[in-house]
Amino acid sequence: MEYTRDLSGAMEDVISTVMADDFLPQVYHREHRVFPAAAEKIRDVFGWDDLNEILETHPLRSPQMRLSRDGKQLAEAAYMEARTVRRGRRRVRIDPVKLRAALREGHTLSMRYLDEIHPGVSQLSEAFERRLLSDFEFNLYASWAPTGSFNTHWDDHDVFVIQLQGRKRWRIFGRNEFSMHPADSAMGTPPAEVIDDLVLSPGDVLFLPRGFWHDPVTEEGPSLHITGSIPCTTGLDLARWLLDQLREDEAMCAELLRFGNPDGPQEVLRKVRERLDGALAEEDLLQRFFAGRDGAQFGRFRLGLPDTGPASAA
């Protein structure tokens, strides 16, 4: 896909706007906030022509692309066609007539990993990654009717919502009181009280922290928005990293014998506990942990073909 729009400067301006003042120390991870018209300069990063080109040229399947309404996913057969083509190969692609009908009926089209498909959105994702020192991915949502794609729900990650076209209403409730594990995302009941009821217009940006119940519904269609997801760093991430650092430690490698001396395993357990307590008490633990995560970021690259000489980092 050829991409000639240079919005790099505008992207940095948008990120500087939403992360100014107290955002990182007081808002990030903690409370929602709306930034009216903050993304007005980058609305051209992705539009209906871009969506049409992707749908027409990419063989997208579930779960990367889905159609949903009122919390239920539409079966692929309702908007895809399968044919046997040359040499008996079976090909599955979008049925444009069925897809348009499903969208008219109120289904929302969602697409994951848009930043891995579209160059402009990839640049925007990379700009967020540099500022937040975290992985970042963009999903897309397109809808035409005043219906919701999902029921009221919460996410296990922070999000930036950028409204590109149309208007979307967001009802935001309190934070989930249960576990934040992804497998528990269906747990709980949303609070009865709505803490905010807002409508995003083109160019508006919404930051919504992990765990807050929300119910987005198209206010004025067609609506097109992208949602940037930021995975949260948890204590489990720290524990996994720490165990990896101690994989060759003598105390951690001692064998837990099940038979023979019953006091043997208890002695090993005591040494493991002491080693973990000591490691967790080290003053530079978090500094080393975050430095290790920064160094392990997957990152992005510029391939530069047809040149096949030594590659340089992007």
Side-chain angles (χ1 to χ4, degrees), residues 23 27-29 31-33 158-160 205-209:
F23 179 80
V27 178
Y28 192 40
H29 303 312
E31 62 184 56
H32 77 282
R33 180 171 291 185
D158 297 345
V159 298
F160 280 99
V205 177
L206 165 67
F207 172 74
L208 188 64

Side-chain angles (χ1 to χ4, degrees), residues 3-17 38-46 118-131 302:
Y3 191 78
T4 58
R5 285 161 274 180
D6 184 7
L7 297 173
S8 55
M11 292 176 186
E12 294 295 340
D13 289 345
V14 170
I15 295 174
S16 296
T17 298
E40 183 64 32
K41 294 181 180 180
I42 61 167
R43 282 181 55 204
D44 289 341
V45 71
F46 190 92
H118 187 270
V121 179
S122 178
Q123 293 174 22
L124 181 59
S125 181
E126 186 177 5
F128 271 101
E129 287 177 349
R130 288 196 301 268
R131 189 65 64 91
R302 305 287 183 266

Side-chain angles (χ1 to χ4, degrees), residues 66-134:
R66 298 179 293 175
L67 265 62
S68 305
R69 184 180 66 186
D70 299 328
K72 296 181 180 180
Q73 183 175 338
L74 186 64
E76 278 193 343
Y79 59 94
M80 302 285 253
E81 63 173 347
R83 294 186 181 182
T84 300
V85 293
R86 292 178 298 178
R87 299 179 181 177
R89 183 169 64 93
R90 187 173 183 269
R91 184 179 180 188
V92 180
R93 68 176 187 179
I94 288 174
D95 183 319
V97 175
K98 291 181 179 179
L99 176 65
R100 291 166 67 99
L103 298 176
R104 283 197 308 271
E105 292 168 358
H107 289 88
T108 293
L109 185 155
S110 60
M111 188 182 301
R112 298 181 65 185
Y113 313 125
L114 181 65
D115 50 306
E116 295 184 2
I117 301 175
H118 187 270
V121 179
S122 178
Q123 293 174 22
L124 181 59
S125 181
E126 186 177 5
F128 271 101
E129 287 177 349
R130 288 196 301 268
R131 189 65 64 91
L132 293 173
L133 302 177
S134 173

Side-chain angles (χ1 to χ4, degrees), residues 52-207:
N52 286 326
E53 182 177 355
I54 289 174
L55 295 177
E56 292 164 3
T57 59
H58 288 67
L60 299 177
R61 303 288 303 276
S62 178
Q64 185 171 15
M65 188 186 87
R66 298 179 293 175
L67 265 62
S68 305
R69 184 180 66 186
D70 299 328
K72 296 181 180 180
Q73 183 175 338
L74 186 64
E76 278 193 343
Y79 59 94
M80 302 285 253
E81 63 173 347
R83 294 186 181 182
T84 300
V85 293
R86 292 178 298 178
R87 299 179 181 177
R89 183 169 64 93
R90 187 173 183 269
R91 184 179 180 188
V92 180
R93 68 176 187 179
I94 288 174
D95 183 319
V97 175
K98 291 181 179 179
L99 176 65
R100 291 166 67 99
L103 298 176
R104 283 197 308 271
E105 292 168 358
H107 289 88
T108 293
L109 185 155
S110 60
M111 188 182 301
R112 298 181 65 185
Y113 313 125
L114 181 65
D115 50 306
E116 295 184 2
I117 301 175
H118 187 270
V121 179
S122 178
Q123 293 174 22
L124 181 59
S125 181
E126 186 177 5
F128 271 101
E129 287 177 349
R130 288 196 301 268
R131 189 65 64 91
L132 293 173
L133 302 177
S134 173
D135 288 329
F136 201 94
E137 68 180 46
F138 270 109
N139 299 336
L140 170 143
Y141 299 88
S143 53
W144 282 255
T147 55
S149 56
F150 308 105
N151 294 326
T152 304
H153 65 284
W154 57 270
D155 298 313
D156 71 314
H157 48 265
D158 297 345
V159 298
F160 280 99
V161 179
I162 301 178
Q163 188 71 26
L164 299 175
Q165 301 289 339
R167 289 157 57 87
K168 197 99 173 184
R169 179 188 181 190
W170 288 73
R171 291 192 306 155
I172 301 173
F173 303 81
R175 202 164 203 162
N176 170 50
E177 61 183 18
F178 293 95
S179 165
M180 291 289 189
H181 192 280
D184 299 332
S185 60
M187 288 182 60
T189 302
E193 181 182 0
V194 177
I195 63 174
D196 206 348
D197 191 338
L198 54 95
V199 175
L200 295 185
S201 298
D204 290 348
V205 177
L206 165 67
F207 172 74

Side-chain angles (χ1 to χ4, degrees), residues 227-260:
T227 297
S229 303
I230 312 116
C232 294
T233 303
T234 67
L236 185 58
D237 295 315
L238 174 62
R240 287 170 174 161
W241 174 84
L242 182 57
L243 289 175
D244 188 61
Q245 304 305 301
L246 298 175
R247 66 171 54 251
E248 296 183 7
D249 185 90
E250 182 177 350
M252 303 297 291
C253 294
E255 186 175 2
L256 280 167
L257 298 175
R258 298 185 62 181
F259 306 104

